[in-house]
Amino acid sequence: MAKSNKPLVWGPFAAGGTITAFVTPVLIVLTLLAALGYVPEMLGYENLRGVLAHWFAKLSVSVIIFLSLWSVAHRLRITCYDLGVRADALVAAALYLAAVLGSVAAVVYLARI
Amino acid sequence: MSERLVEVEVLRYNPETDSEPHFQRYSVSCEEEWVVLDALNHVKETIDPTLSYRWSCHMAVCGSCGMMINGEPKLACKAFLRNYEGVIRVEPLAHFPIERDLVTVIDDFVSKLARVKPYLIPKEDKPLSAGEYRQTPAQLKKYKQYTLCINCMLCYSACPEYGLIPKYIGPAALSLAHRYNADSRDGGREERAQEVAATEGVWDCSFVGACSEVCPEHVDPASAIQQEKIANMVDWYKEHLMPGGAK
Ligand code: SF4
Ligand code: FES
């Protein structure tokens, strides 16, 4: 049997899953802290904007956002299949496109900082 | 020893006389420490000799007594009656065609096992005089857990992907492929990849994890499949992205 090309889409899915497993809980804690009014000096708006002015920070954040969105898209694709939506090619195209568009939007936004 | 009256509801099907399967209920006087298999044996010996099911070892070794017990894939010889209340429903393993009563047709599984080449394909052929293929305890540990499979097929019954996609090679066969791929003496990974790296191989797995939950031998097939996915992903990127890597 021929080898599958699934690794192309699975690679970023696995990487994104691993990253979100670490990043998401941190983001939740920080958001909760911010909601309660505790914003450490270091994570203030001006400070973060300053950090994101650096090209390496822009690159890292873009990669993290792309991998996370891709991971969600891939997970949703499989969930759709398991729920009985068998138009896999269509579902895959729509979801992956959404992930790419989201990433492009993030890149555009970051580039303007 | 205390006795208890247990109601078992068994799925019956005789291809010669029945147009479709139906349930039959038996009241069995059971000993406290009996397992479901004991109850079935008691039925067969004292109530209904026509009841058909597979079993052999009665000690979770042969892997032949897998069946659905109250909807869950279990070894009948490991399912203690004391853990169940009320009527116990016994059915043949899900996702397999029924041959007769609790006996299923397992040809699909057996042919998939053979397809993954579940034997050592030595890296280097050396003459007998060169001595044995040596292995350190650490090298043994890498695959030992995956040698413990008893081919009971509970994982195939639990796997929703196998239910959806019958072509999927499935947990036990893929774990067995991984058992040899992870063996330091083996050099057959590329040959096995023809099956393992195909869509019907590891890529039909969506990591539900049910296989590992039901496995009576704690083989953890899901972990073998994920390790194979990572290895095959690395291979794929090497073959497609590295200069000169394309095959
Ligand atoms: S992996 Fe576990 S559940 Fe699956 S066939 Fe082997 S022993 Fe049975
Ligand atoms: S009878 Fe052998 S595993 Fe149950």
Side-chain angles (χ1 to χ4, degrees):
Chain A
M1 254 184 302
K3 285 192 186 182
S4 169
N5 285 321
K6 264 274 185 72
L8 176 65
V9 293
W10 192 83
F13 159 71
T18 312
I19 287 181
T20 42
F22 288 105
V23 171
T24 312
V26 177
L27 284 179
I28 291 175
V29 169
L30 290 179
T31 310
L32 277 178
L33 278 179
L36 293 172
Y38 301 108
V39 183
E41 186 64 19
M42 199 185 81
L43 296 175
Y45 179 77
E46 289 308 325
N47 233 329
L48 278 187
R49 222 187 135 84
V51 171
L52 286 179
H54 196 274
W55 66 268
F56 187 72
K58 288 188 213 266
L59 183 70
S60 314
V61 171
S62 305
V63 169
I64 290 176
I65 289 177
F66 167 69
L67 291 177
S68 309
L69 286 177
W70 188 272
S71 167
V72 173
H74 187 78
R75 191 77 261 174
L76 267 176
R77 172 188 174 188
I78 291 164
T79 306
C80 284
Y81 191 86
D82 288 353
L83 289 179
V85 186
R86 293 295 141 76
D88 187 51
L90 190 72
V91 170
L95 288 171
Y96 293 147
L97 186 68
V100 169
L101 288 180
S103 311
V104 169
V107 168
V108 168
Y109 196 81
L110 282 166
R112 295 215 303 241
I113 290 177
Chain B
M1 271 183 280
S2 57
E3 290 206 351
R4 179 184 139 202
L5 199 66
V6 173
E7 298 269 316
V8 278
E9 200 169 52
V10 184
L11 196 83
R12 303 294 311 270
Y13 175 66
N14 179 347
E16 282 135 38
T17 55
D18 301 342
S19 57
E20 54 185 76
H22 60 275
F23 280 102
Q24 186 165 353
R25 205 180 267 211
Y26 302 98
S27 296
V28 202
S29 169
C30 296
E31 311 266 345
E32 176 61 26
E33 70 282 3
W34 276 12
V35 290
V36 171
L37 180 61
D38 294 317
L40 292 177
N41 284 343
H42 196 69
V43 169
K44 190 166 175 89
E45 281 158 19
T46 62
I47 308 174
D48 186 348
T50 66
L51 182 63
S52 304
Y53 49 95
R54 289 195 182 101
W55 74 286
S56 173
C57 71
H58 200 293
M59 49 191 281
V61 169
C62 73
S64 52
C65 69
M67 44 191 85
M68 308 300 285
I69 299 174
N70 280 358
E72 254 188 89
K74 295 259 183 207
L75 293 180
C77 68
K78 228 187 153 191
F80 283 91
L81 292 170
R82 58 169 169 262
N83 295 332
Y84 297 90
E85 277 169 23
V87 185
I88 303 176
R89 198 170 247 234
V90 185
E91 296 161 273
L93 277 183
H95 302 158
F96 292 94
I98 305 175
E99 187 158 317
R100 188 187 203 95
D101 296 342
L102 301 171
V103 178
T104 52
V105 183
I106 60 172
D107 303 6
D108 180 57
F109 171 66
V110 175
S111 72
K112 281 169 177 168
L113 270 186
R115 266 164 56 193
V116 301
K117 307 199 176 188
Y119 39 80
L120 212 64
I121 303 174
K123 237 182 236 155
E124 9 138 22
D125 247 336
K126 50 182 195 177
L128 215 51
S129 55
E132 49 296 78
Y133 292 89
R134 300 190 135 210
Q135 204 161 44
T136 65
Q139 287 169 328
L140 173 67
K141 200 166 162 252
K142 277 225 168 83
Y143 67 85
K144 185 149 180 240
Q145 146 192 17
Y146 306 109
T147 66
L148 302 178
C149 172
I150 57 173
N151 297 340
C152 65
M153 292 166 283
L154 298 195
C155 49
Y156 284 75
S157 266
C159 175
E161 292 299 345
Y162 180 59
L164 280 173
I165 313 165
K167 278 197 297 186
Y168 172 39
I169 295 188
L174 289 170
S175 308
L176 201 57
H178 178 66
R179 175 254 172 274
Y180 288 99
N181 285 347
D183 190 319
S184 59
R185 300 162 296 179
D186 184 88
R189 197 157 85 81
E190 190 51 42
E191 266 179 66
R192 283 183 208 104
Q194 294 308 315
E195 302 287 341
V196 174
T199 304
E200 293 96 285
V202 289
W203 302 111
D204 266 341
C205 163
S206 61
F207 204 1
V208 173
C211 50
S212 296
E213 264 170 52
V214 299
C215 176
E217 305 298 315
H218 308 290
V219 170
D220 197 357
S223 75
I225 298 173
Q226 303 323 302
Q227 289 176 57
E228 284 300 319
K229 278 186 193 170
I230 293 172
N232 284 301
M233 176 193 70
V234 173
D235 284 353
W236 190 91
Y237 277 102
K238 270 195 205 151
E239 278 169 28
H240 289 82
L241 300 183
M242 301 276 263
K247 287 198 182 160

